[in-house]
Amino acid sequence: MDDYIDPQARCPGPESLRPDAVIIEGRTHNGHACRIVDNTCSVAREDLVEVLNGLIAARRFGMAALSARGGQTLVIGRPEATHVQFGDTLYRLLLYPYEARIERF
């Protein structure tokens, strides 16, 4: 997960969600609420649950300190960006401290 994303970016608010966005909620290994949001409304719920459970098992949720490549400043809670594929379609996956969001490229 090392694609560039604005280091000042914060988890988007509810205004950036589609009204029909699919949201699956869970709990991290230490009991914090977390969720995966399919803002494309095109991924099967079973696939979303599988990705959410995988992120929880890998302990990917929570506060983390990351620096931009070559940077010397750590930014707490900086989102990570990568991609995920479901079927033949590739999506953008944004990982915030307690939310994973699936968007179209």
Side-chain angles (χ1 to χ4, degrees):
M1 294 188 166
D2 60 357
D3 292 348
Y4 176 78
I5 189 167
D6 180 1
Q8 302 304 314
R10 297 291 175 248
C11 190
E15 69 282 352
S16 65
L17 287 180
R18 289 172 49 150
D20 55 346
V22 179
I23 300 172
I24 308 290
E25 298 189 354
R27 292 274 172 195
T28 64
H29 69 282
N30 58 1
H32 289 353
C34 62
R35 67 188 195 166
I36 189 166
V37 176
D38 175 14
N39 212 22
T40 70
C41 303
S42 61
V43 178
R45 291 183 73 83
E46 300 80 33
D47 291 337
L48 295 173
V49 170
E50 184 177 337
V51 171
L52 179 63
N53 288 338
L55 292 169
I56 291 169
R59 296 186 176 199
R60 297 303 307 246
F61 288 110
M63 297 304 289
L66 299 173
S67 66
R69 289 184 191 162
Q72 296 186 19
T73 303
L74 293 177
V75 179
I76 304 296
R78 178 179 178 259
E80 297 179 59
T82 190
H83 65 277
V84 63
Q85 184 171 348
F86 298 103
D88 293 331
T89 307
L90 195 62
Y91 300 91
R92 187 169 190 206
L93 178 66
L94 301 171
L95 184 61
Y96 297 93
Y98 292 99
E99 178 178 296
R101 187 172 289 201
I102 296 171
E103 301 275 357
R104 295 197 188 281
F105 274 103

